[in-house]
Amino acid sequence: MIRKAGQELVLYYNPEASSKVMKLKGVLVRMGVRIRNVAPEQVLQQVGTLAGISGYERTENGYVSETELPAIPDEMLVMHGFTGRRIDELLFGLRKAGVPKVELKAVVTESNAGWTFYHLYEEIKEEHERMKQREDEQGKA
């Protein structure tokens, strides 16, 4: 399931175009990281499918029309095949290039590879909100 070195991939979802996207992609290209843009119509695909992991095949979304697709209003960056060191390098490279922080980040794991991209969004959004709440509470103490 883990990619070989040099086979890193970022699944990138951004609901709105911005100049940030070009800076972010520039950092990824310089690092030799493959980029796969996730489109709104792909949010019901499994993370493993989007990451190209064997054993996860593309499925029909099971919706009648695009109006029934769940919406993801936030930007997401999902990493696959990265070592801890390379994640640190990526985050440092983004800061150095002046790329505004991507709040919702995750790593593809054996557990979440079978989730839909939307399910992953729900989980990391909830986790992010819990962390922010803890930080706010600690700041008030």
Side-chain angles (χ1 to χ4, degrees), residues 12-22 38 40 72-75:
Y12 182 67
Y13 178 88
N14 192 341
E16 55 192 50
S18 71
S19 60
K20 171 184 186 173
V21 175
M22 293 311 294
V38 177
I72 297 178
D74 303 305
E75 175 185 40

Side-chain angles (χ1 to χ4, degrees), residues 3-140:
R3 291 182 178 275
K4 296 176 192 156
Q7 292 287 311
E8 299 143 332
L9 170 73
V10 163
L11 299 175
Y12 182 67
Y13 178 88
N14 192 341
E16 55 192 50
S18 71
S19 60
K20 171 184 186 173
V21 175
M22 293 311 294
K23 282 184 178 181
L24 182 139
K25 289 184 177 182
V27 171
L28 295 172
V29 167
R30 282 190 297 279
M31 289 182 66
V33 175
R34 291 184 321 143
I35 309 155
R36 180 164 295 147
N37 292 313
V38 177
E41 59 273 9
Q42 294 177 300
V43 299
L44 293 179
Q45 290 294 318
Q46 290 180 316
V47 173
T49 301
L50 295 169
I53 300 170
S54 63
Y56 293 92
E57 305 305 321
R58 188 177 188 288
T59 59
E60 291 304 314
N61 283 334
Y63 60 88
V64 177
S65 70
E66 287 189 19
T67 59
E68 294 179 25
L69 280 170
I72 297 178
D74 303 305
E75 175 185 40
M76 287 176 60
L77 190 142
V78 181
M79 296 162 276
H80 179 58
F82 281 74
T83 63
R85 183 181 62 78
R86 285 288 285 173
I87 290 172
D88 291 344
E89 287 177 19
L90 172 59
L91 298 177
F92 176 77
L94 293 173
R95 277 193 307 274
K96 187 176 175 184
V99 177
K101 186 175 182 181
V102 177
E103 296 292 335
L104 302 181
K105 294 182 280 298
V107 173
V108 178
T109 65
E110 288 187 35
S111 297
N112 67 24
W115 297 353
T116 65
F117 194 79
Y118 185 76
H119 181 184
L120 179 62
Y121 161 73
E122 290 179 312
E123 292 291 330
I124 61 175
K125 178 74 172 174
E126 184 178 309
E127 182 179 322
H128 179 73
E129 288 172 358
R130 280 193 310 265
M131 287 174 44
K132 273 189 85 107
Q133 185 178 13
R134 264 188 255 133
E135 288 172 2
D136 291 345
E137 289 170 358
Q138 289 174 351
K140 292 177 185 176

